[in-house]
């Protein structure tokens, strides 16, 4: 498409201007010069609106590089531009709600990692302030752990109390009331209470005592507990606390694992207390005075893991701490005492082997420990022996039954003996006397029947009648079963019959007859067996081993061996002698193998090696037995 419309705006007559438009809408101009346009000045180009929009930003950019002075702003930067932390917002709101109280409200669960007022719903808000008033009044209804943390955060920032002692008491009471349900409180409240004492300058005794240190307890509280325990009289240490002061793992000891666990855990802390008391009495110096480490300064962070405004008491505080548990001389001495205690217990319990490292303990202290442990172990063994004895209980019902049965047996024996004597008397009389006395005996029999009936009605039993007649044949009875009787005159003939019956009764019932006061003990039969010689003695004389010229361990071995052991060594001195060894063992009521084991056990404990190999003395130690002779 071509537009030949002339450009009327052109003020130059020699130039022909034609505008063309293509089918795509593109416009372009065509200029035709006549040739007469030489030396004709071109007119200045007038900028259009689009070019002005492009140029103006550049001019503005150039102008922006020029900084013009401004007038100072009239404002308070501390107030108008102050950043308020979450902890500060909590403290501000806690002070506003310090004495706010809600009516009784139902419990609503509340769980939050960093609990504050802003995280409470309306029903949780009402329950909290009702519950807070309850615990301030000394009542502790059940609640969630997050409510407790909000309450402790308030106490840390001085909300709810007017005196620091009151605030400390409120924290401790709430902790005590809820710690059994929420064991997690122990981890935080131990440290927060200690920080509370530091920032308020309180010197409160720590009520909680530790059988063993918790895993998350701070180093400052550990050292405070060490100092408290070593300052007590006597020193109070538990086995778990003592383990932290040792330079070796005593629980891996073979003696501890096999048979000495109870002894070590019971006696080792007592030995430490004994040595401390001995030093205080004899030298006027306790362990904590003797091994006093230098104090050092440590930096402690206040109220860790709590919603705490650091602007109140500061972020950290510098403390002066005496580190007893890290003091090398004290640890070394305590370790030596425990090693010595284990060695003495091994010796008293007959356990082989000894530990090294107890040389730092003074001889007089070692003697005190030895005497104490020896006395304690002997008393313990005696108590165990008495406890193993069967308990003797007397059944009074069985005693009464045995007494009745004994009375019945005695009565039957007396009746049979009397009847037998009458038959023998009748058989020994001549026939004429028997016929002559027949009439008289018939009358006497009638009288006897009458008399016996009356006697039976009065006494009841023949045994009680005979006992009433004759006190000498009265059966021994217990105090609770005794029957009073009246002493009467008894003919001599009846007395002799009763004595004969008593002899028969004593033979049949030795246990009951032996309780009579008038009984006489029979002499014991003489033994026809030959007497056995005392252990350790021989027909040739006693065996003596002079160890004066030997080392200390051999002298100790000589003291531990019994005369019987010395006789065995003397028999084996010239070589194996099984017959002599068997004879010695038989005389002592033992076995050869047991005697040899006892000798080797004593040698291991003192010399540190076996003295007998097989059934002969080891070649390396024969010369040590040269002074072993028979007197």
């Amino acid at each position: 498409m071509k537009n030949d419309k002339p450009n009327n705006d052109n003020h130059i007559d020699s130039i022909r201007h034609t505008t063309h438009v293509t089918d795509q809408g593109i416009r372009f101009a065509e200029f035709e010069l006549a040739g007469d346009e030489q030396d004709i000045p071109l007119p200045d180009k007038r900028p259009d609106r689009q070019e002005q929009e492009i140029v103006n930003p550049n001019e503005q950019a150039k102008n922006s590089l020029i900084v013009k002075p401004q007038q100072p702003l009239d404002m308070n930067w501390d107030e108008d531009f102050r950043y308020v932390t979450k902890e500060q917002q909590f403290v501000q709101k806690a002070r506003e709600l310090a004495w706010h109280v809600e009516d009784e409200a139902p419990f609503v669960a509340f769980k939050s990692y960093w609990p504050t007022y802003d995280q409470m719903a309306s029903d949780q808000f009402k329950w909290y302030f009702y519950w807070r008033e309850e615990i301030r009044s000394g009542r502790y209804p059940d609640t969630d752990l997050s409510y407790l943390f909000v309450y402790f955060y308030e106490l840390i920032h001085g909300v709810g109390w007017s005196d620091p002692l009151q605030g400390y008491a409120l924290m401790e009471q709430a902790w005590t009331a809820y710690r059994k349900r929420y064991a997690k409180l122990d981890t935080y409240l131990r440290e927060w209470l200690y920080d509370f004492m530091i920032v308020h300058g309180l010197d409160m005794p720590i009520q909680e005592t530790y059988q063993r240190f918790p895993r998350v307890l701070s180093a400052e509280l550990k050292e405070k507990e060490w100092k408290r325990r070593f300052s007590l009289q006597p020193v109070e240490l538990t086995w778990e606390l003592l383990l932290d002061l040792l330079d070796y793992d005593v629980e891996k000891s073979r003696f501890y694992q096999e048979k000495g666990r109870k002894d070590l855990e019971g006696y080792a802390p007592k030995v430490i207390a004994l040595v401390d008391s001995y030093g205080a009495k004899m030298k006027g110096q306790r362990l904590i005075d003797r091994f006093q480490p230098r104090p050092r300064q440590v930096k402690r962070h206040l109220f860790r893991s709590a919603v705490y405004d650091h602007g109140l008491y500061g972020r950290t505080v510098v403390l002066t701490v005496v580190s007893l548990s890290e003091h090398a001389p004290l640890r070394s001495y305590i370790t030596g005492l425990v090693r010595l205690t284990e060695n003495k217990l091994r010796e008293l319990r007959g356990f082989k082997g000894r530990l090294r490292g107890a040389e730092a303990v003074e001889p007089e202290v070692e003697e005190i420990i030895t005497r104490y442990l020896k006395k304690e172990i002997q008393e313990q063994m005696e108590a165990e022996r008495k406890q193993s004895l069967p308990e003797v209980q007397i059944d009074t019902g069985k005693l009464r039954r045995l007494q009745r049965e004994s009375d019945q047996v005695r009565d039957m024996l007396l009746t049979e003996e009397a009847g037998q004597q009458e038959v023998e008397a009748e058989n020994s009389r001549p026939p004429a006397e028997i016929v002559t006395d027949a009439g008289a005996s018939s009358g006497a029999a009638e009288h006897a029947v009458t008399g016996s009936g009356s006697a039976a009605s009065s006494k009841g039993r023949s045994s009680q009648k005979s006992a009433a007649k004759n006190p000498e044949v009265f059966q021994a009875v217990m105090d609770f079963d005794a029957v009073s009787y009246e002493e009467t005159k008894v003919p001599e003939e009846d007395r002799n019959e009763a004595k004969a019956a008593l002899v028969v009764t004593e033979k049949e019932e030795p246990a009951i007859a032996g309780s009579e006061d008038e009984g006489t003990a029979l002499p014991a039969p003489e033994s026809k067996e030959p007497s056995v010689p005392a252990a350790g003695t021989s027909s040739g004389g006693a065996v003596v081993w002079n160890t004066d010229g030997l080392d200390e361990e051999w002298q100790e071995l000589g003291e531990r061996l019994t005369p019987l052991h010395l006789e065995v060594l003397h028999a084996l001195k010239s070589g194996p002698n099984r017959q002599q060894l068997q004879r010695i063992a038989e005389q002592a009521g033992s076995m050869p193998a047991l005697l040899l084991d006892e000798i080797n056990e004593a040698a291991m404990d003192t010399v540190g090696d076996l003295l007998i190999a097989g059934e002969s003395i080891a070649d390396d130690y024969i010369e040590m037995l040269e002074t072993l002779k028979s007197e």
Side-chain angles (χ1 to χ4, degrees):
M1 179 177 180
K2 181 177 180 182
N3 183 8
D4 294 336
K5 180 180 180 180
N7 186 4
N8 298 323
D9 297 333
N10 192 352
H11 61 283
I12 303 176
D13 297 333
S14 59
I15 297 176
R16 183 180 178 183
H17 176 208
T18 305
T19 303
H20 300 274
V21 180
T22 64
D23 297 337
Q24 290 80 15
I26 300 175
R27 298 170 62 90
F28 62 94
E30 182 180 357
F31 295 91
E32 292 183 2
L33 302 177
D36 299 335
E37 64 278 2
Q38 294 182 0
D39 300 330
I40 297 176
L42 294 176
D44 295 333
K45 184 178 180 180
R46 293 177 297 179
D48 55 7
R49 185 178 302 174
Q50 185 176 2
E51 290 177 351
Q52 290 179 359
E53 292 178 358
I54 297 175
V55 173
N56 290 339
N58 294 332
E59 294 178 356
Q60 292 177 0
K62 293 179 180 180
N63 294 333
S64 63
L65 297 177
I66 301 174
V67 179
K68 297 180 180 180
Q70 297 181 355
Q71 297 295 328
L73 300 176
D74 186 12
M75 59 180 62
N76 189 348
W77 290 94
D78 295 335
E79 295 295 334
D80 297 340
F81 296 92
R82 181 171 178 265
Y83 174 72
V84 180
T85 64
K86 180 182 65 175
E87 291 81 3
Q88 292 171 342
Q89 294 176 9
F90 172 81
V91 175
Q92 182 178 359
K93 195 167 185 179
R95 290 172 179 171
E96 295 174 358
L97 300 172
W99 307 109
H100 180 75
V101 179
E102 289 284 347
D103 295 334
E104 184 176 357
F107 168 74
V108 182
F110 177 46
K111 295 181 180 179
S112 176
Y113 190 77
W114 294 95
T116 58
Y117 305 117
D118 298 335
Q119 297 174 352
M120 295 182 185
S122 59
D123 51 354
Q124 295 170 339
F125 187 86
K126 293 179 180 180
W127 162 255
Y128 172 74
F129 286 101
Y130 162 72
W131 167 81
R132 188 181 71 173
E133 185 63 23
E134 289 292 302
I135 62 174
R136 286 180 176 179
S137 303
R139 296 179 294 272
Y140 301 92
D142 198 10
T143 190
D144 273 346
L145 184 62
S146 295
Y147 290 119
L148 283 166
F149 278 129
V150 173
Y151 177 66
F152 289 131
Y153 298 159
E154 291 179 351
L155 295 176
I156 288 174
H157 293 92
V159 176
W161 53 266
S162 56
D163 183 75
L165 290 176
Q166 181 188 5
Y168 184 92
L170 290 174
M171 289 183 69
E172 190 175 40
Q173 290 168 7
W175 176 32
T176 304
Y178 292 99
R179 66 182 303 186
K180 289 185 178 180
R181 176 174 178 181
Y182 300 110
K184 191 176 181 180
L185 285 175
D186 295 347
T187 305
Y188 301 101
L189 267 298
R190 290 190 189 105
E191 306 294 339
W192 293 350
L193 281 173
Y194 184 55
D195 293 337
F196 195 91
M197 289 192 298
I198 293 174
V199 298
H200 293 288
L202 302 178
D203 188 14
M204 303 293 293
I206 298 178
Q207 300 296 333
E208 186 182 19
T209 58
Y210 310 99
Q211 294 298 319
R212 63 188 312 164
F213 286 132
R215 182 177 55 87
V216 293
L217 192 66
S218 63
E220 295 83 13
L221 281 180
K222 286 183 180 179
E223 296 301 335
K224 189 176 182 67
E225 179 67 8
W226 281 123
K227 185 176 181 181
R228 185 187 71 83
R229 287 185 174 271
F230 273 101
S231 300
L232 294 176
Q233 180 65 31
V235 172
E236 292 184 5
L237 293 177
T238 64
W239 174 253
E240 288 77 10
L241 295 178
L242 185 59
L243 291 178
D244 293 339
L245 292 176
L246 302 181
D247 293 332
Y248 80 109
D249 192 351
V250 64
E251 293 185 345
K252 292 183 179 180
S253 168
R254 190 164 61 91
F255 174 70
Y256 178 87
Q257 295 178 352
E258 292 183 5
K259 60 185 297 186
R261 177 174 182 175
K262 184 177 180 181
D263 288 339
L264 274 175
E265 291 182 356
Y267 291 119
K270 295 180 181 179
V271 166
I272 304 300
L274 175 68
V275 174
D276 181 78
S277 300
Y278 175 78
K281 182 178 180 180
M282 302 303 296
K283 301 179 181 180
Q285 194 177 35
R286 303 184 62 188
L287 291 176
I288 194 173
D289 302 323
R290 179 180 175 184
F291 302 98
Q292 182 65 254
R294 293 181 179 179
R296 59 188 181 91
Q297 290 186 341
V298 296
K299 183 181 293 185
R300 176 181 174 86
H301 289 268
L302 295 175
F303 301 108
R304 284 180 177 270
S305 304
V307 176
Y308 164 62
D309 181 13
H310 305 293
L312 189 62
Y313 306 116
R315 188 181 298 271
T316 59
V317 64
V318 178
L319 300 177
T320 301
V321 179
V322 178
S323 300
L324 289 173
S325 61
E326 299 178 2
H327 191 46
L330 177 62
R331 294 180 61 91
S332 177
Y333 191 74
I334 296 293
T335 302
L337 291 177
V338 175
R339 288 181 183 271
L340 178 62
T341 302
E342 182 174 348
N343 286 341
K344 296 303 178 181
L345 289 174
R346 287 180 178 223
E347 179 180 349
L348 294 172
R349 295 297 188 184
F351 195 85
K352 298 181 180 179
R354 299 292 181 269
L355 298 179
R356 300 182 182 274
E359 296 80 7
V361 182
E362 302 86 345
E364 61 272 15
V365 175
E366 181 178 356
E367 183 180 357
I368 292 293
I369 296 175
T370 303
R371 285 188 297 175
Y372 167 72
L373 291 177
K374 186 175 182 180
K375 175 177 174 295
E376 291 290 326
I377 295 298
Q378 289 177 350
E379 292 179 355
Q380 181 181 352
M381 295 175 65
E382 181 64 19
E384 292 175 354
R385 185 190 67 81
K386 292 181 179 180
Q387 188 176 5
S388 63
L389 296 177
E391 184 177 359
V392 179
Q393 295 182 351
I394 299 177
D395 191 341
T396 57
K398 289 184 178 180
L399 285 178
R400 293 188 181 95
R401 188 179 72 251
L402 290 174
Q403 184 180 358
R404 288 194 299 268
E405 294 174 355
S406 177
D407 290 342
Q408 294 174 3
V409 172
R410 183 193 61 190
D411 293 342
M412 288 189 295
L413 292 174
L414 290 173
T415 304
E416 291 177 1
E417 182 70 19
Q420 185 178 359
Q421 290 180 359
E422 291 179 359
V423 172
E424 291 178 356
E426 290 293 335
N427 293 335
S428 63
R429 291 176 63 184
E433 294 182 3
I434 296 175
V435 174
T436 304
D437 296 339
S441 61
S442 61
E446 295 177 359
H447 178 71
V449 171
T450 305
S452 62
S454 61
S457 62
S458 62
K459 296 296 181 179
R461 290 179 56 189
S462 61
S463 63
Q464 295 179 356
K465 180 178 68 175
S466 61
K469 287 183 179 180
N470 188 2
E472 294 183 4
V473 297
F474 182 74
Q475 178 66 25
V477 296
M478 305 300 290
D479 294 341
F480 51 75
D481 214 15
V483 179
S484 60
Y485 65 91
E486 296 180 359
E487 183 176 356
T488 58
K489 294 183 179 180
V490 182
E492 185 67 25
E493 196 173 308
D494 294 340
R495 187 184 297 272
N496 294 334
E497 293 179 3
K499 287 183 178 180
L502 179 60
V503 173
V504 176
T505 304
E506 290 177 352
K507 292 180 179 179
E508 296 294 335
E509 299 291 329
I512 299 178
S515 64
E516 290 286 337
D517 294 337
E518 297 178 3
T520 303
L522 297 177
E526 296 181 0
S527 176
K528 296 183 180 180
E529 298 180 359
S531 59
V532 180
T537 60
S538 62
S539 58
V543 178
V544 179
W545 187 18
N546 187 2
T547 59
D548 293 341
L550 301 179
D551 294 337
E552 183 178 355
E553 58 267 18
W554 288 96
Q555 294 179 6
E556 184 180 354
L557 175 61
E559 295 176 356
R560 292 189 57 175
L561 295 179
T562 64
L564 180 62
H565 297 152
L566 297 179
E567 188 175 356
V568 172
L569 291 176
H570 186 267
L572 301 178
K573 185 177 178 182
S574 58
N577 192 344
R578 181 171 297 180
Q579 295 180 354
Q580 181 69 5
L581 186 61
Q582 184 67 31
R583 183 187 63 80
I584 296 173
E586 290 177 355
Q587 290 180 355
S590 181
M591 293 186 296
L594 293 177
L595 296 177
L596 297 179
D597 288 343
E598 292 174 359
I599 295 174
N600 280 332
E601 183 177 356
M604 284 295 297
D605 293 341
T606 54
V607 181
D609 197 2
L610 297 177
L611 185 58
I612 299 175
E615 293 186 357
S616 60
I617 301 174
D619 297 337
D620 297 339
Y621 304 122
I622 291 180
E623 60 180 6
M624 301 294 180
L625 303 177
E626 291 181 355
T627 56
L628 181 67
K629 299 179 181 180
S630 177
E631 295 181 352

